[in-house]
Coordinates of all heavy atoms in Angstrom, one line a residue:
E118 N 110.1 148.1 124.0 CA 109.3 147.4 125.0 C 109.9 147.7 126.4 O 109.2 148.0 127.4 CB 109.1 145.9 124.8 CG 108.3 145.5 123.6 CD 106.9 146.0 123.6 OE1 106.4 146.5 124.6 OE2 106.2 146.0 122.5
A119 N 111.2 147.6 126.5 CA 111.9 147.8 127.8 C 111.8 149.2 128.2 O 111.5 149.5 129.4 CB 113.3 147.3 127.7
D121 N 109.6 151.5 127.2 CA 108.2 151.9 127.5 C 107.9 151.5 129.0 O 107.3 152.2 129.7 CB 107.2 151.1 126.6 CG 107.2 151.7 125.2 OD1 107.9 152.7 125.0 OD2 106.4 151.2 124.4
N122 N 108.3 150.3 129.3 CA 108.0 149.8 130.7 C 108.7 150.6 131.7 O 108.1 150.9 132.8 CB 108.5 148.3 130.8 CG 107.5 147.3 130.2 OD1 106.4 147.7 129.8 ND2 108.0 146.1 130.1
S123 N 109.9 151.0 131.5 CA 110.7 151.8 132.4 C 110.0 153.1 132.6 O 109.9 153.6 133.8 CB 112.1 152.0 131.9 OG 112.8 150.8 131.9
L124 N 109.6 153.8 131.5 CA 109.0 155.1 131.6 C 107.6 155.0 132.4 O 107.3 155.8 133.2 CB 108.8 155.7 130.3 CG 110.1 156.0 129.5 CD1 109.9 156.6 128.2 CD2 111.0 157.0 130.3
D125 N 106.9 154.0 132.0 CA 105.6 153.8 132.7 C 105.8 153.6 134.2 O 105.1 154.2 135.0 CB 104.9 152.5 132.2 CG 104.0 152.8 130.9 OD1 103.8 154.0 130.6 OD2 103.6 151.8 130.3
A126 N 106.7 152.7 134.6 CA 106.9 152.4 136.0 C 107.4 153.7 136.7 O 106.9 154.0 137.8 CB 108.0 151.3 136.1
C127 N 108.4 154.4 136.2 CA 108.9 155.6 136.8 C 107.7 156.6 137.0 O 107.5 157.2 138.1 CB 109.9 156.3 136.0 SG 111.5 155.4 136.0
E129 N 104.5 156.2 137.1 CA 103.5 155.7 138.0 C 103.9 155.9 139.5 O 103.2 156.1 140.4 CB 103.1 154.3 137.8 CG 102.1 154.1 136.6 CD 101.6 152.7 136.5 OE1 101.3 152.0 137.5 OE2 101.4 152.3 135.4
D156 N 116.5 151.3 134.5 CA 115.8 152.5 135.0 C 116.0 152.7 136.5 O 116.5 151.9 137.2 CB 114.3 152.3 134.6 CG 113.6 151.2 135.3 OD1 113.6 151.1 136.6 OD2 113.0 150.3 134.6
G158 N 113.3 153.2 138.3 CA 111.9 153.1 138.7 C 111.7 152.5 140.1 O 112.7 152.3 140.8
P159 N 110.5 152.1 140.4 CA 110.2 151.5 141.8 C 110.7 150.1 142.0 O 110.7 149.6 143.1 CB 108.7 151.5 141.8 CG 108.3 151.4 140.4 CD 109.3 152.2 139.6
G160 N 111.2 149.5 140.9 CA 111.6 148.1 141.0 C 110.5 147.1 140.9 O 109.3 147.6 140.9
I161 N 110.7 145.8 141.0 CA 109.7 144.8 140.9 C 109.8 143.9 142.1 O 110.9 143.4 142.4 CB 109.8 144.0 139.6 CG1 109.7 145.0 138.4 CG2 108.6 143.0 139.5 CD1 110.0 144.4 137.1
L168 N 107.1 135.9 136.6 CA 105.8 135.9 135.9 C 105.8 137.1 134.8 O 105.3 136.9 133.7 CB 104.6 136.1 136.9 CG 104.4 134.9 137.8 CD1 103.5 135.3 138.9 CD2 103.8 133.8 137.0
I169 N 106.3 138.2 135.2 CA 106.4 139.3 134.3 C 107.2 139.0 133.1 O 106.8 139.3 132.0 CB 106.9 140.6 135.0 CG1 105.8 141.1 136.0 CG2 107.4 141.7 134.1 CD1 106.2 142.3 136.8
F170 N 108.4 138.4 133.3 CA 109.3 138.2 132.2 C 109.2 136.8 131.6 O 109.8 136.6 130.5 CB 110.8 138.5 132.7 CG 110.9 139.9 133.1 CD1 110.8 140.3 134.4 CD2 111.2 140.9 132.2 CE1 110.9 141.6 134.8 CE2 111.3 142.2 132.5 CZ 111.2 142.6 133.9
K172 N 106.1 135.0 131.2 CA 104.8 134.6 130.9 C 104.1 135.6 130.0 O 104.1 136.8 130.3 CB 104.0 134.4 132.2 CG 102.6 133.8 132.0 CD 102.0 133.7 133.4 CE 100.6 133.1 133.4 NZ 100.6 131.7 133.0
L173 N 103.6 135.2 128.8 CA 103.0 136.2 128.0 C 101.6 136.5 128.5 O 100.9 135.6 129.0 CB 102.8 135.6 126.5 CG 103.9 136.1 125.5 CD1 105.3 135.8 126.0 CD2 103.6 135.6 124.2
L174 N 101.1 137.7 128.3 CA 99.8 138.1 128.8 C 99.8 138.1 130.4 O 99.0 137.4 131.0 CB 98.6 137.3 128.3 CG 98.3 137.5 126.8 CD1 97.1 136.7 126.4 CD2 98.0 138.9 126.5
Y175 N 100.7 138.8 130.9 CA 100.8 139.0 132.4 C 101.2 140.4 132.6 O 102.3 140.8 132.2 CB 101.8 138.0 133.0 CG 101.7 138.0 134.5 CD1 100.8 137.1 135.1 CD2 102.4 138.9 135.3 CE1 100.7 137.1 136.5 CE2 102.3 138.8 136.7 CZ 101.4 137.9 137.3 OH 101.3 137.9 138.6
G176 N 100.4 141.2 133.2 CA 100.8 142.6 133.4 C 99.8 143.4 134.3 O 98.8 142.8 134.7
S177 N 100.1 144.6 134.5 CA 99.2 145.4 135.4 C 98.3 146.4 134.7 O 97.6 147.1 135.3 CB 100.1 146.1 136.4 OG 101.1 146.9 135.7
K178 N 98.5 146.5 133.4 CA 97.8 147.6 132.7 C 96.6 147.2 131.9 O 95.8 148.0 131.5 CB 98.8 148.3 131.8 CG 100.1 148.7 132.5 CD 101.2 149.1 131.6 CE 102.5 149.1 132.3 NZ 103.7 149.1 131.4
F179 N 96.4 145.9 131.6 CA 95.4 145.5 130.7 C 94.0 145.7 131.2 O 93.1 146.1 130.5 CB 95.6 144.0 130.4 CG 94.6 143.5 129.4 CD1 94.8 143.6 128.0 CD2 93.4 142.8 129.8 CE1 93.8 143.2 127.1 CE2 92.5 142.4 128.9 CZ 92.7 142.6 127.5
S185 N 98.7 154.9 129.6 CA 100.0 154.4 129.8 C 100.6 153.9 128.5 O 99.8 153.7 127.5 CB 100.1 153.2 130.8 OG 99.3 152.2 130.4
R186 N 101.9 153.7 128.4 CA 102.5 153.2 127.2 C 102.2 151.8 126.9 O 101.9 151.4 125.8 CB 104.0 153.4 127.2 CG 104.4 154.9 127.3 CD 105.8 155.1 127.7 NE 106.1 156.5 127.8 CZ 105.9 157.3 128.8 NH1 105.3 156.7 129.9 NH2 106.2 158.5 128.8
G187 N 102.3 151.0 127.9 CA 101.9 149.5 127.7 C 100.5 149.4 128.0 O 99.9 150.1 128.7
Q188 N 99.9 148.3 127.4 CA 98.5 148.0 127.8 C 98.2 146.5 127.7 O 97.2 146.1 128.3 CB 97.5 148.9 127.0 CG 97.7 148.9 125.5 CD 96.7 150.0 124.8 OE1 96.5 151.1 125.4 NE2 96.1 149.6 123.7
Q189 N 99.0 145.7 127.0 CA 98.6 144.4 126.7 C 99.1 143.3 127.6 O 98.5 142.3 127.8 CB 99.0 144.0 125.3 CG 98.5 145.0 124.3 CD 99.1 144.8 122.9 OE1 98.5 145.2 121.9 NE2 100.2 144.3 122.8
G190 N 100.3 143.5 128.2 CA 100.9 142.5 129.1 C 101.6 141.5 128.3 O 101.8 140.3 128.7
I191 N 102.1 141.9 127.1 CA 102.9 140.9 126.3 C 104.3 141.4 126.1 O 105.2 140.6 125.9 CB 102.3 140.8 124.9 CG1 100.8 140.4 124.9 CG2 103.0 139.7 124.1 CD1 100.1 140.3 123.6
G192 N 104.5 142.8 126.1 CA 105.7 143.4 125.6 C 107.0 142.8 126.0 O 107.7 142.2 125.1
I193 N 107.3 142.8 127.2 CA 108.7 142.5 127.6 C 108.9 141.0 127.6 O 110.0 140.5 127.2 CB 109.1 143.1 129.0 CG1 110.6 143.1 129.1 CG2 108.4 142.5 130.1 CD1 111.4 143.9 128.1
S194 N 107.9 140.2 127.9 CA 108.1 138.7 127.9 C 108.2 138.3 126.4 O 109.0 137.3 126.1 CB 106.9 138.0 128.5 OG 105.7 138.7 128.2
A195 N 107.6 139.0 125.5 CA 107.7 138.6 124.1 C 109.2 138.9 123.6 O 109.7 138.1 122.9 CB 106.7 139.4 123.2
S212 N 116.7 143.6 139.8 CA 115.7 144.6 140.2 C 115.8 144.8 141.7 O 116.0 143.9 142.5 CB 114.3 144.2 139.9 OG 113.4 145.2 140.1
G249 N 115.3 150.3 141.2 CA 115.2 150.3 139.7 C 115.2 148.9 139.2 O 115.3 147.9 140.0
T250 N 115.2 148.8 137.9 CA 115.2 147.5 137.2 C 116.1 147.5 136.0 O 116.1 148.5 135.3 CB 113.7 147.2 136.7 OG1 112.9 147.2 137.9 CG2 113.7 145.8 136.1
Q251 N 116.8 146.5 135.8 CA 117.7 146.3 134.6 C 117.3 145.1 133.9 O 117.2 144.0 134.5 CB 119.1 146.3 135.0 CG 120.0 146.0 133.8 CD 121.5 146.3 134.1 OE1 121.9 147.4 134.2 NE2 122.2 145.2 134.3
V252 N 117.1 145.2 132.6 CA 116.7 144.0 131.8 C 117.8 143.8 130.7 O 118.2 144.8 130.1 CB 115.4 144.3 131.0 CG1 115.0 143.1 130.2 CG2 114.3 144.6 132.0
E507 N 99.2 143.7 117.7 CA 99.9 143.6 119.0 C 101.2 144.4 119.0 O 101.8 144.6 120.0 CB 100.1 142.2 119.4 CG 98.8 141.4 119.7 CD 98.2 140.9 118.4 OE1 98.6 141.3 117.3 OE2 97.2 140.2 118.5
K509 N 101.7 147.3 118.2 CA 101.4 148.7 118.6 C 102.1 149.7 117.8 O 102.8 150.6 118.3 CB 101.8 148.8 120.1 CG 101.1 147.9 121.1 CD 101.5 148.2 122.5 CE 102.9 147.7 122.8 NZ 103.3 147.9 124.2
Ligands
ATP601 N1 111.0 148.2 134.5 C1 109.9 147.9 135.1 N2 109.6 148.4 136.4 C2 108.5 148.1 137.1 N3 107.5 147.3 136.6 C3 107.7 146.7 135.4 C4 108.9 147.0 134.6 N4 108.7 146.3 133.4 C5 107.6 145.7 133.5 N5 106.9 145.9 134.6 C6 105.6 145.3 135.1 O1 105.4 144.2 134.3 C7 104.2 144.2 133.6 C8 104.3 143.5 132.3 O2 105.1 144.2 131.3 P1 104.8 144.0 129.8 O3 105.7 144.9 129.0 O4 105.0 142.5 129.5 O5 103.3 144.4 129.6 P2 102.6 145.8 129.7 O6 103.7 146.9 129.7 O7 101.6 145.8 130.8 O8 101.8 145.9 128.3 P3 102.5 145.9 126.8 O9 102.4 144.5 126.3 O10 101.5 146.7 126.0 O11 103.8 146.4 126.9 C9 103.8 145.7 133.5 O12 102.4 145.8 133.4 C10 104.4 146.2 134.8 O13 103.5 146.1 135.8

Side-chain angles (χ1 to χ4, degrees):
E118 293 300 347
D121 285 359
N122 282 351
S123 292
L124 295 179
D125 273 347
C127 287
E129 279 190 37
D156 63 57
I161 303 171
L168 292 166
I169 285 175
F170 296 93
K172 188 176 180 69
L173 260 61
L174 289 184
Y175 191 91
S177 55
K178 304 165 200 168
F179 183 83
S185 60
R186 293 167 182 81
Q188 50 187 40
Q189 301 170 158
I191 306 181
I193 198 63
S194 38
S212 189
T250 302
Q251 174 169 285
V252 181
E507 295 80 355
K509 301 183 286 182

